[in-house]
């Protein structure tokens, strides 16, 4: 008998996670399943959680809209997940459910995977665009990884201030970010702006970009967003969104199995799937 993993969320029929975890299992030479467990929002979540317990999964992922709802069903919550206020990975250990958040760390690992020098250079000045759930995970993971110069720009500045807590003076409006762009080494777009079907949209104009800056977009549908296209036209280094998906899965897999699957060529393979 191999591992039994799964994903809960709604709607998730087109999720790429079964493909990714299938690849991981192949790569570490282990047997297992990764099932899609779609939970319609009209159903009772607590009833569904009872049923899920009976499945005796070794671990499962949690996606929209249940990343916060799941928290009250957990026996233990990891400190970072608690701080972020959302859980995307659950480990089942002796019948107890332990919750983690691998999204932000997944982003940081993906950045280090693509641009090795960023792992050493903690003095990099970072700009996060957006202050929603994704931004929060990435912000805390960057802080935990040793970066201290991080600013957050958001359409509503209050939300950026709220996310930053005691460092609220690091909040900016999108207009301020656009004008002051030349001070940043890494720019991370964390909102859904530019996602299909609004592919022409960009959150800010990149005209003031510093030479040599890295521009990253967590949107991966399309992969090559209008934001990244502009960055590329300005000769900056770009970082695609699907790599975060891969690395958040890698960290989840590691929590479940204790093994870190190798990532060689997965990035290109997933890119091909996304580009049809
Ligand atoms: P997620 O969990 O995917 O991050 P969220 O928590 O709903 O989603 O957050 C959405 C983020 O995208 C917010 O920062 C939001 O800005 P506001 O806080 O001002 O609403 C940002 N966002 C969404 N649509 C936007 C748009 N058209 N222009 C600018 N920012 C946008």
């Amino acid at each position: 008998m191999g591992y039994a993993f799964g994903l809960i969320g709604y709607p998730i029929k087109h999720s790429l996670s079964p493909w990714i975890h299938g690849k991981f299992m192949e790569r570490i030479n282990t047997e297992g399943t990764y099932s899609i467990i779609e939970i319609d929002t009209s159903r009772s979540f607590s009833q569904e959680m009872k049923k899920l317990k009976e499945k005796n999964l070794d671990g499962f992922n949690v996606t929209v809209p249940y990343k916060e709802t799941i928290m009250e069903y957990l026996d233990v919550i990891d400190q970072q997940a608690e701080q972020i206020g959302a859980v995307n990975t659950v480990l089942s250990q002796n019948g107890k459910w332990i919750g983690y958040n691998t999204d932000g760390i997944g982003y940081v690992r993906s950045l280090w995977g693509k641009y090795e020098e960023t792992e050493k250079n903690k003095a990099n000045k970072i700009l996060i665009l957006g202050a929603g759930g994704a931004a929060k995970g990435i912000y805390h993971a960057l802080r935990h990884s040793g970066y201290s110069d991080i600013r957050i720009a958001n359409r509503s500045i209050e939300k950026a201030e709220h996310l930053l807590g005691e460092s609220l003076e690091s909040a900016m409006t999108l207009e301020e970010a656009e004008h002051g762009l030349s001070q940043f080494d890494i720019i991370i777009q964390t909102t859904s702006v530019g996602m299909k079907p609004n592919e022409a949209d960009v959150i800010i104009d990149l005209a003031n970009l510093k030479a040599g800056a890295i521009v990253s977009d967590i949107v991966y549908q399309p992969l090559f967003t209008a934001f990244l296209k502009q960055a590329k036209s300005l000769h900056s280094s770009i970082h695609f969104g699907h790599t975060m998906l891969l690395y958040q899965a890698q960290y989840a897999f590691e929590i479940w199995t204790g093994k870190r699957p190798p990532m060689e060529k997965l990035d290109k393979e997933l890119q091909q799937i996304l580009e049809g």
Side-chain angles (χ1 to χ4, degrees):
M1 270 259 300
Y3 286 111
F5 304 129
L7 169 69
I8 65 165
Y10 185 82
I12 50 171
K13 288 221 167 68
H14 301 291
S15 167
L16 293 159
S17 295
W19 181 85
I20 298 172
H21 285 282
K23 287 281 172 190
F24 290 165
M25 286 188 263
E26 260 173 40
R27 285 180 174 210
I28 66 154
N29 260 322
T30 191
E31 298 280 308
T33 54
Y34 186 100
S35 354
I36 290 282
I37 304 158
E38 197 164 59
I39 301 177
D40 194 310
T41 45
S42 63
R43 299 216 290 266
S44 150
F45 191 73
S46 59
Q47 282 300 327
E48 295 301 318
M49 289 305 97
K50 274 193 196 136
K51 285 198 237 162
L52 190 60
K53 270 256 147 130
E54 286 161 13
K55 287 187 195 285
N56 285 321
L57 296 179
D58 298 300
F60 59 95
N61 286 128
V62 184
T63 190
V64 182
Y66 301 124
K67 287 186 185 184
E68 290 157 22
T69 325
I70 189 69
M71 293 179 83
E72 62 177 284
Y73 297 88
L74 303 174
D75 299 289
V76 182
I77 300 175
D78 162 77
Q79 206 186 341
Q80 258 197 71
E82 188 82 69
Q83 200 171 25
I84 295 164
V87 161
N88 80 325
T89 298
V90 176
L91 166 69
S92 179
Q93 212 168 45
N94 308 319
K96 296 244 185 296
W97 279 359
I98 308 165
Y100 299 85
N101 192 310
T102 71
D103 287 329
I105 297 165
Y107 174 80
V108 174
R109 280 190 182 184
S110 78
L111 183 71
W112 292 350
K114 174 82 180 165
Y115 296 106
E116 265 177 47
E117 69 281 8
T118 58
E119 184 171 356
K120 289 186 210 85
N121 199 351
K122 300 287 163 52
N124 274 326
K125 290 184 189 302
I126 303 179
L127 171 66
I128 296 177
L129 298 167
K136 200 168 180 181
I138 291 172
Y139 173 72
H140 286 292
L142 287 167
R143 289 291 300 259
H144 279 272
S145 304
Y147 300 93
S148 53
D149 199 337
I150 310 171
R151 301 199 65 178
I152 300 182
N154 197 47
R155 183 172 56 181
S156 65
I157 193 165
E158 297 76 17
K159 208 162 157 189
E161 286 171 348
H162 184 70
L163 200 169
L164 283 155
E166 287 170 8
S167 322
L168 86 168
E169 70 285 354
S170 293
M172 310 170 88
T173 63
L174 292 175
E175 292 71 27
E176 285 166 344
E178 198 169 274
H179 291 125
L181 206 58
S182 61
Q183 58 187 298
F184 298 105
D185 305 298
I186 303 174
I187 290 126
I188 310 166
Q189 198 302 106
T190 70
T191 77
S192 56
V193 176
M195 194 186 282
K196 276 181 190 167
N198 303 309
E199 294 174 61
D201 294 356
V202 286
I203 189 157
I204 58 166
D205 184 85
L206 293 172
N208 295 327
L209 201 61
K210 175 180 181 173
I214 297 170
V215 178
S216 176
D217 196 335
I218 71 160
V219 168
Y220 57 86
Q221 279 172 327
L223 209 63
F224 207 5
T225 57
F227 190 67
L228 290 184
K229 281 181 183 161
Q230 194 193 359
K232 181 118 194 194
S233 75
L234 294 165
H235 309 291
S236 96
S237 303
I238 61 171
H239 185 44
F240 289 115
H242 71 299
T243 57
M244 175 175 170
L245 187 69
L246 283 174
Y247 281 88
Q248 64 75 28
Q250 185 201 42
Y251 185 36
F253 191 85
E254 212 173 313
I255 289 169
W256 296 331
T257 66
K259 293 179 187 130
R260 187 182 288 209
M263 302 296 269
E264 283 80 37
K265 299 199 182 91
L266 268 192
D267 169 358
K268 289 277 171 288
E269 284 182 42
L270 183 57
Q271 188 166 341
Q272 275 165 10
I273 293 176
L274 288 166
E275 285 169 342

